[in-house]
Amino acid sequence: MKQVKLKLNPAKSYQTIEGFGASGAWWAQFVGGWPDETRREIMRLLYHKEHGLGMQIYRYNLGGGSKESGNGRFDNLNRKASSFLKADSDDYDWSRDAEAVWCMKEAVANGADEVVLFVNSPPERWTKSGLTKGKYFLCANLPRKNELKFTTYMLDVTEHFLAQGLPVKVLSPINEPFGPWIDKLAGQEGCHYRAHGVRRLLRLFAREMDKRPVLDGMMLSGAEMNDLRYMNKTYTRAVLGDKTVRTRVDGIDVHGYVLKPLAWRKSKDVKRRFRKWMNRKYPGQPIRMSEWTEMQGGRDYGMQSALTLANEVWEDLTIMDVVSWQKWIAVSEVDYSDGLIYVDQEKQTYDIPKRYYAYGQFTKFVPRGAQRIEIKGVPDELQAVAFNCGTHTAVIFINHTSSAMAISLGNGSAQLIETNEEKSLHRSEIDLAGFSIAAKSVNTVVIRA
């Protein structure tokens, strides 16, 4: 077995990491009502630093009220989302969505230090269609006359959560604005906006936030486009090209749903082109990956899906220089290759796929504030990314091949954490002068400072 000799170059650095996270949409509203021991264990597995993944970011879905009204077509009823707004007045019912709010609070209790409030659709009583989805393709569903009402509502909810001690730091009032959000097609809440509508609404949010001292320092995110191939530049210009919006937006949030059957070029090329465009048009502005999941049917508990996830994180970190990465979704009850944890909703039990442990290779050892540094000599058949984490250096290796690899990374001792078919975040002591990583594996080398 030929040894691959690599070298770290801390003198050359890249982006600073803001954190890793996941979405609480579509599962927290039932998991939060499960027996106490089970629900607490699931939240520990996701957010506790020692017992679980140690994620820092929790995305809470502020719903449009389809759950309370029962309106709209939803094949999966878990995708109906609650609103705190009462149907017959502008008053709020803070007892709603109690299970999902419990999960958010438990995530924070376990170590999450950033909550993102995101909206798929404004409250349905203010939409043109009277639904949390539109009636007509590519038609905006929030009338201009109701934009201030929606803004006020979301800021009121934010202040309510802040008063409860929750670290709400980011508001995302617009989600995938170019999506086909019409009732006959969409299986979830959603709202279409044109690019100028995105700019206008975010400008309104920025101005209204300035009137509330308690929201000083809070940021907005946008435009959360769902596919990097289409319309991203148009919507990015709408967000980053406005001076008022830029007072509350310090980068661009994107989703990574590049559908393989429709891809006309490799995902690496799409990401590389977008990063180059950002560097040219908006130098210094960070990119955040706020949603990604493998678009693949069927539950995958094994290493193939784990390697797919690890590859996606690696690409985003090294090609787009993302400063944060958030998984959609954390928990799944469906037959799809998505959740970090699978659950049986009827039995109220859970299982952990290898995908969970592959994500843990990043979340557990790359803390907020870590800085990506150069690693030299990496061959094409190996993926590697390195971080200066202050107390340690973390180097993550992804081996997609069917053969083990011998690695040399200097001198001294270190800890190797391995995830492969046989091991899950398994720790061992190694000599940096010569160690091996298994076939089809994700590995982290932790070098103590």
Side-chain angles (χ1 to χ4, degrees):
M1 185 166 44
K2 183 179 178 181
Q3 189 177 68
V4 178
K5 294 185 177 181
L6 307 175
K7 184 178 180 180
L8 296 173
N9 180 22
K12 186 171 184 179
S13 60
Y14 304 92
Q15 76 270 34
T16 300
I17 300 301
E18 296 177 356
F20 295 90
S23 171
W26 304 348
W27 59 269
Q29 68 268 33
F30 61 83
V31 168
W34 283 7
D36 198 53
E37 182 178 354
T38 304
R39 65 177 184 169
R40 289 187 186 279
E41 178 64 10
I42 288 174
M43 298 311 297
R44 280 195 297 268
L45 284 167
L46 294 171
Y47 283 94
H48 195 276
K49 181 65 176 177
E50 301 302 324
H51 185 78
L53 295 179
M55 295 187 294
Q56 303 97 344
I57 303 170
Y58 184 88
R59 293 177 62 85
Y60 173 82
N61 181 209
L62 181 58
S66 57
K67 184 176 181 179
E68 284 77 28
S69 71
N71 296 331
R73 301 182 185 184
F74 292 83
D75 294 334
N76 185 339
L77 297 183
N78 288 328
R79 297 186 178 188
K80 289 178 174 286
S82 287
S83 168
F84 297 106
L85 184 68
K86 292 183 177 180
D88 54 355
S89 72
D90 290 340
D91 294 331
Y92 303 135
D93 182 354
W94 298 119
S95 68
R96 292 180 179 175
D97 212 23
E99 292 80 7
V101 171
W102 183 92
C103 286
M104 174 171 52
K105 291 180 177 179
E106 192 68 8
V108 172
N110 275 283
D113 59 7
E114 177 179 323
V115 170
V116 178
L117 299 186
F118 78 97
V119 171
N120 290 330
S121 168
E124 63 180 21
R125 63 183 288 189
W126 293 329
T127 65
K128 291 180 181 178
S129 65
L131 303 171
T132 56
K133 296 179 282 186
K135 286 186 177 180
Y136 304 105
F137 188 62
L138 300 183
C139 289
N141 200 33
L142 179 65
R144 291 187 64 172
K145 65 180 182 179
N146 290 336
E147 288 177 352
L148 179 58
K149 294 179 181 179
F150 169 46
T151 302
T152 300
Y153 166 67
M154 192 169 183
L155 298 187
D156 286 350
V157 173
T158 301
E159 290 195 357
H160 170 76
F161 285 152
L162 288 173
Q164 295 190 325
L166 291 166
V168 181
K169 296 183 179 179
V170 181
L171 305 182
S172 178
I174 298 167
N175 180 73
E176 300 181 358
F178 197 65
W181 304 124
I182 59 175
D183 196 33
K184 293 180 180 180
L185 294 178
Q188 65 173 81
E189 295 187 344
C191 186
H192 177 79
Y193 298 87
R194 295 183 177 92
H196 63 81
V198 168
R199 180 191 296 116
R200 185 177 63 246
L201 186 61
L202 291 181
R203 187 188 295 143
L204 178 60
F205 263 86
R207 289 170 175 166
E208 291 301 308
M209 291 166 76
D210 288 346
K211 299 175 183 178
R212 303 187 185 213
V214 72
L215 302 184
D216 286 351
M218 184 167 294
M219 304 304 291
L220 292 166
S221 75
E224 308 232 27
M225 288 295 295
N226 64 312
D227 191 327
L228 283 168
R229 295 167 299 172
Y230 307 119
M231 300 298 289
N232 255 289
K233 294 177 182 179
T234 299
Y235 282 87
T236 298
R237 290 189 191 99
V239 174
L240 297 182
D242 186 270
K243 292 182 179 179
T244 301
V245 173
R246 286 283 289 273
T247 63
R248 292 283 180 167
V249 175
D250 63 348
I252 197 75
D253 287 59
V254 299
H255 296 176
Y257 302 121
V258 178
L259 302 181
K260 293 179 182 178
L262 300 178
W264 53 277
R265 59 163 61 103
K266 295 180 180 178
S267 64
K268 283 185 180 181
D269 295 333
V270 174
K271 295 171 183 179
R272 191 174 290 112
R273 286 170 64 90
F274 185 63
R275 178 71 266 182
K276 287 182 178 179
W277 181 82
M278 282 287 292
N279 290 343
R280 187 171 67 254
K281 295 292 185 179
Y282 304 102
Q285 292 301 301
I287 300 174
R288 299 176 179 91
M289 179 56 65
S290 53
E291 279 190 24
W292 177 86
T293 203
E294 184 180 0
M295 305 298 285
Q296 181 67 43
R299 289 194 174 191
D300 189 330
Y301 286 87
M303 279 305 299
Q304 185 54 56
S305 182
L307 288 166
T308 298
L309 181 147
N311 174 77
E312 198 73 24
V313 180
W314 175 83
E315 284 188 1
D316 293 345
L317 289 169
T318 61
I319 296 175
M320 289 204 296
D321 293 342
V322 301
V323 297
S324 70
W325 203 93
Q326 295 149 62
K327 179 73 173 67
W328 177 276
I329 52 180
V331 178
S332 174
E333 86 286 10
V334 298
D335 189 26
Y336 208 72
S337 186
D338 50 2
L340 297 169
I341 295 175
Y342 283 126
V343 295
D344 185 312
Q345 193 170 352
E346 182 178 345
K347 296 179 180 178
Q348 298 184 342
T349 58
Y350 66 88
D351 294 298
I352 302 177
K354 285 290 184 178
R355 185 165 54 246
Y356 169 94
Y357 302 106
Y359 195 33
Q361 301 282 164
F362 296 88
T363 63
K364 289 178 70 66
F365 308 107
V366 183
R368 186 187 298 276
Q371 191 166 42
R372 185 166 74 88
I373 60 175
E374 184 180 34
I375 180 169
K376 296 181 177 181
V378 182
D380 292 340
E381 63 269 24
L382 178 67
Q383 292 174 334
V385 59
F387 300 89
N388 181 346
C389 305
T391 60
H392 66 277
T393 298
V395 187
I396 300 167
F397 297 101
I398 308 168
N399 181 8
H400 291 273
T401 75
S402 299
S403 302
M405 290 189 184
I407 307 290
S408 173
L409 194 60
N411 298 304
S413 62
Q415 191 173 64
L416 174 66
I417 299 93
E418 306 173 82
T419 293
N420 52 53
E421 287 290 0
E422 290 76 36
K423 299 175 181 179
S424 299
L425 293 172
H426 177 267
R427 298 174 183 246
S428 61
E429 294 295 319
I430 60 168
D431 186 342
L432 289 172
F435 61 95
S436 65
I437 58 175
K440 296 189 179 300
S441 64
V442 188
N443 314 264
T444 305
V445 173
V446 176
I447 307 169
R448 303 168 189 86

